[in-house]
Amino acid sequence: MTVKQLSLPELADACEALGVTQVGLWREPVQAYGVEAAAKLVRDAGLTVTTLCRGGFLTAISPAERATAVADNKRAVDEAAALGTDTLVLVSGGLPAGSKDLPGARERIADALAELGPYAEEHGVRLAIEPLHPMYASDRCVVSTLAQALDIAERFPAHQVGVTVDTYHIWWDDQAPAQIARAGAGNRIHTFQLADWTTPLPEGVLNGRGQIGDGAIDMRAWQELVEAAGYTGAIEVELFNDGLWARDGREVLTETTDRFRAHTRP
Amino acid sequence: MTVKQLSLPELADACEALGVTQVGLWREPVQAYGVEAAAKLVRDAGLTVTTLCRGGFLTAISPAERATAVADNKRAVDEAAALGTDTLVLVSGGLPAGSKDLPGARERIADALAELGPYAEEHGVRLAIEPLHPMYASDRCVVSTLAQALDIAERFPAHQVGVTVDTYHIWWDDQAPAQIARAGAGNRIHTFQLADWTTPLPEGVLNGRGQIGDGAIDMRAWQELVEAAGYTGAIEVELFNDGLWARDGREVLTETTDRFRAHTRP
């Protein structure tokens, strides 16, 4: 998503040229290219798919909408398995229109995971609940903290449901270090993502994630916490940023790998 | 601030016409009108000043900037006393340029309060640390939760330092109800403010606070929590909203009092 201006073949080429061997993919471009074709493309380029983003949006109240969402998440699990990744990231969904009930919405996510967790396990896929920054609580994700994400995840086996740790969403939270330790102790850190916090936020606050190093977040400090908690998986960089998307994709990918090396430890 | 398009005399008139007997004021219009003149104006109109907003911005590292900030906060205390309110709201300030150290910035706030708390007490004023929504953590307020605000406030006597409970900033936080109880038990709820959460957020995320009833927040539920914690003071409505500011101020004040009555209990 960081370089969504690149087509999948362009992305595979650029990764190969830069020595990048792992990539996180999003469903929309994969579906547009064809799931099997995308799987072959990345395989042939020697790329490993770290995660598929994203399932979720499981907060609807109406039974019909809930059934549609669960079916879509099962397709997302199938796609993850086809791409050879073991992790599907979940963005939980916001409040249904007219609702002011955050705890109720969180309960409906847990209800849906009771069906999706076993389905994912059968396909060799783990679900990774991603807490999103509290500024998305009403319209995108009622799970706002790692503690809330773990409260839901821990109702299920860790190989079914864990969490996504994304610096952009948790950097402000003084409880997050302890929650990272809790997640690690339970083998529930299913992926670790980086983005920096820059201001002013753009209208809609969706596409203003900062390039690594441009903002307020100490990336190395979070990396150390996550690794101290036992995480040994890939570190993803996920930037939603209109400014980066307007530039040449290969140039942005090069810059991003440079920034990644400068702001993380080996 | 909800009707900042009204001058202070217009505001006093409009409040009188609507039967509003209490008003929260901001420093800038009070200073522009003259502190003593503003105090006389509201007194003559039969208005009580609930709080003065705002002091704070106490996170600077440089000694000169810190001294300037402390001196300005002492002036704010003086102004609050002159207006006859016992409460000065504090917005703590963001990260200094180039800093990524949230805990350090929070410590510097506590350091400054050790000087400001006794000064405020001498003038019959209480300081009310306002946790701001985590989306302001880098550039406006490193205190993002009631728990963090109380961790600082509780180092001082409650009649010197307490907290501001504002629905807009805490509504997403599942720990906030317990923290309201904690604040109430310590007599540290120094004011209670309402604003609703509406999306999409505007660029800069400053002036998008929703009119009461337009958004995702259950006002009555928060009122019940705050009152159950022992709070008996005024309830303020504080809306930063470009749309409301573009309308006729008296019309907005009338609408706001109507909404207040519809969405709170007597």
Side-chain angles (χ1 to χ4, degrees), chain A residues 31-225:
Chain A
Q31 289 172 343
Y33 193 78
V35 178
E36 290 304 329
K40 182 174 189 315
L41 177 78
V42 294
R43 206 164 47 232
D44 291 350
L47 280 168
T48 303
V49 179
T50 50
T51 64
L52 181 65
C53 285
R54 62 188 186 198
F57 293 89
L58 297 166
T59 53
I61 293 171
S62 104
E65 283 178 61
R66 291 181 59 72
T68 302
V70 168
D72 183 58
N73 275 272
K74 288 182 177 175
R75 274 194 300 277
V77 168
D78 299 343
E79 292 162 11
L83 292 167
T85 176
D86 63 359
T87 304
L88 174 66
V89 174
L90 301 184
V91 171
S92 298
L95 289 172
S99 170
K100 304 182 192 224
D101 179 15
L102 290 171
R106 294 185 193 121
E107 273 312 302
R108 291 192 296 280
I109 296 162
D111 286 348
L113 292 179
E115 180 172 353
L116 290 171
Y119 183 88
E121 181 181 0
E122 286 166 25
H123 293 75
V125 174
R126 310 173 304 178
L127 306 174
I129 302 171
E130 181 166 14
L132 256 55
H133 192 285
M135 67 187 176
Y136 302 115
S138 72
D139 59 356
R140 191 162 297 268
C141 186
V142 296
V143 178
S144 301
T145 63
L146 270 177
Q148 291 172 353
L150 286 165
D151 286 348
I152 297 173
E154 287 174 354
R155 302 190 196 181
F156 307 97
H159 61 273
Q160 286 184 4
V161 186
V163 298
T164 298
V165 176
D166 185 322
T167 57
Y168 189 77
H169 298 301
I170 63 164
W171 77 280
W172 58 272
D173 181 4
D174 60 357
Q175 304 302 306
Q179 297 300 320
I180 286 172
R182 171 186 169 191
N187 289 313
R188 290 184 194 271
I189 304 177
H190 287 352
T191 184
F192 176 41
Q193 302 182 332
L194 307 184
D196 214 337
W197 182 268
T198 53
T199 57
L201 294 166
E203 184 183 356
V205 301
L206 201 54
N207 301 330
R209 300 196 196 177
Q211 177 61 278
I212 308 305
D214 281 352
I217 304 178
D218 183 339
M219 297 296 164
R220 241 182 236 99
W222 290 104
Q223 181 189 7
E224 283 168 15
L225 287 167

Side-chain angles (χ1 to χ4, degrees), chain B:
Chain B
M1 187 53 68
T2 304
V3 287
K4 73 169 185 176
Q5 62 270 56
L6 296 180
S7 69
L8 282 182
E10 288 171 343
L11 175 67
D13 269 359
C15 285
E16 224 171 346
L18 281 165
V20 174
T21 59
Q22 301 179 298
V23 66
L25 296 179
W26 273 59
R27 293 184 72 194
E28 292 76 3
V30 166
Q31 290 172 343
Y33 193 76
V35 177
E36 290 304 328
K40 182 176 188 316
L41 177 79
V42 294
R43 207 164 45 233
D44 290 350
L47 279 166
T48 303
V49 180
T50 50
T51 64
L52 181 65
C53 285
R54 62 190 186 191
F57 293 89
L58 297 166
T59 54
I61 293 171
S62 105
E65 284 178 60
R66 291 180 60 70
T68 302
V70 167
D72 184 58
N73 276 272
K74 288 182 178 174
R75 274 193 300 276
V77 168
D78 298 342
E79 292 162 11
L83 291 167
T85 176
D86 63 357
T87 303
L88 174 66
V89 174
L90 300 184
V91 171
S92 298
L95 289 171
S99 171
K100 306 184 191 219
D101 179 15
L102 290 172
R106 293 184 194 123
E107 273 313 303
R108 291 193 296 279
I109 296 162
D111 286 348
L113 292 179
E115 181 173 353
L116 290 171
Y119 183 88
E121 181 181 359
E122 287 165 25
H123 293 74
V125 174
R126 309 173 304 178
L127 306 174
I129 302 172
E130 180 166 14
L132 256 55
H133 192 284
M135 67 188 176
Y136 302 114
S138 71
D139 59 356
R140 192 161 295 268
C141 187
V142 296
V143 177
S144 301
T145 63
L146 270 177
Q148 291 172 354
L150 286 165
D151 287 348
I152 297 173
E154 287 174 355
R155 302 191 198 182
F156 307 97
H159 61 273
Q160 287 185 3
V161 186
V163 299
T164 298
V165 176
D166 184 322
T167 57
Y168 189 77
H169 298 302
I170 63 164
W171 77 281
W172 58 272
D173 182 3
D174 60 358
Q175 303 301 305
Q179 297 300 320
I180 287 172
R182 171 185 168 192
N187 289 313
R188 290 185 193 269
I189 305 178
H190 288 351
T191 184
F192 177 40
Q193 302 182 332
L194 308 184
D196 215 337
W197 182 267
T198 53
T199 56
L201 294 166
E203 185 182 356
V205 301
L206 201 55
N207 301 331
R209 300 195 196 176
Q211 177 61 277
I212 308 304
D214 280 352
I217 303 177
D218 184 340
M219 298 296 163
R220 239 181 238 101
W222 290 105
Q223 182 189 7
E224 283 169 14
L225 287 166
V226 168
E227 293 181 349
Y231 183 74
T232 56
I235 305 178
E236 302 180 295
V237 178
E238 186 189 62
L239 309 178
F240 287 46
N241 187 304
D242 286 324
L244 295 178
W245 290 334
R247 289 168 50 193
D248 177 79
R250 283 174 176 263
E251 180 191 301
V252 171
L253 194 62
T254 305
E255 175 185 285
T256 302
T257 55
D258 289 347
R259 294 295 188 93
F260 181 86
R261 289 191 190 100
H263 292 274
T264 59
R265 57 180 196 178

